[in-house]
Amino acid sequence: MPQIDYYFVTISPWTYLAGSRLEQIAEKHGATVTYKPCDINSVFRSTGGLPLAERAQARKDYRVQELKRWR
């Protein structure tokens, strides 16, 4: 049986946008989903990323545009 490992962050809107769609795709292909929460702060620290509040305004604005597009 196919297996999907779904790494997610609970504070991310992308997590919720993908939720039901991922389940539908998995069911269609007979796959199971293993949910794997991530600690986004440790990911940012280890990769040099910035939390949303510390990002440049242009990046924050682009993020809002992308959320609208994916909605």
Side-chain angles (χ1 to χ4, degrees), residues 6-45:
Y6 182 50
Y7 295 87
F8 68 96
V9 181
T10 57
I11 63 170
S12 171
W14 303 109
T15 297
Y16 300 98
L17 289 171
S20 60
R21 190 169 175 198
L22 175 63
E23 292 284 342
Q24 292 168 356
I25 292 168
E27 184 177 338
K28 178 180 176 183
H29 296 282
T32 59
V33 180
T34 301
Y35 292 89
K36 300 188 175 213
C38 297
D39 176 2
I40 194 64
N41 290 323
S42 67
V43 172
F44 284 149
R45 279 192 303 276

Side-chain angles (χ1 to χ4, degrees), residues 59-71:
R59 294 208 43 159
K60 292 178 191 178
D61 294 343
Y62 182 74
R63 182 175 182 269
V64 170
Q65 286 180 4
E66 280 293 285
L67 284 170
K68 288 177 183 175
R69 189 172 70 85
W70 281 87
R71 176 176 68 185

